[in-house]
Amino acid sequence: AQWLIKRRIKPVIAHPERHRTIINNVKTLEPYLKAGCLVQITAGSLDGTFGDAPMKTAIKLLELGWVTVMASDAHNNKLRPPDIEPGRVVAEKIVGKQESWALVRERPGQMIIRHFHDLE
């Protein structure tokens, strides 16, 4: 992570709530956060699509304030469609309406704007 950060690249750790090591102990994510990594959870993890353990872990990460953005992890329109709203609704119950929208709308937009700004 440090190698990337020194080169002005912010690593995004995608769906850590589905990783066995982090499911067993969310604190294993802490060194990456301290190094400057961002965290992206999957909306389907919050609504139980990926099972109980990822759901509980995603909730814990939200409660800790460690989640930067939430995405759909869509692979296609049939088997894994881009459906964020059920997860956003669950997130709203945990972190509030404003933060739930920031996870799926404001922060992803800010990340894109910063990326293109850095390319100039």
Side-chain angles (χ1 to χ4, degrees), residues 43-102:
S45 293
L46 277 178
D47 70 17
T49 299
F50 295 103
D52 195 48
M55 181 177 65
K56 288 179 180 178
T57 305
I59 290 168
K60 181 69 173 173
L61 293 173
L62 280 173
E63 290 171 344
L64 289 167
W66 290 359
V67 180
T68 311
V69 294
M70 181 168 41
S72 70
D73 196 22
H75 287 217
N76 57 51
N77 285 330
K78 292 181 183 176
L79 298 176
R80 202 180 300 172
D83 194 9
I84 291 180
E85 185 58 11
R88 193 209 58 79
V89 169
V90 174
E92 183 176 327
K93 294 174 186 172
I94 299 163
V95 296
K97 187 173 186 175
Q98 183 176 350
E99 177 63 12
S100 74
W101 282 109

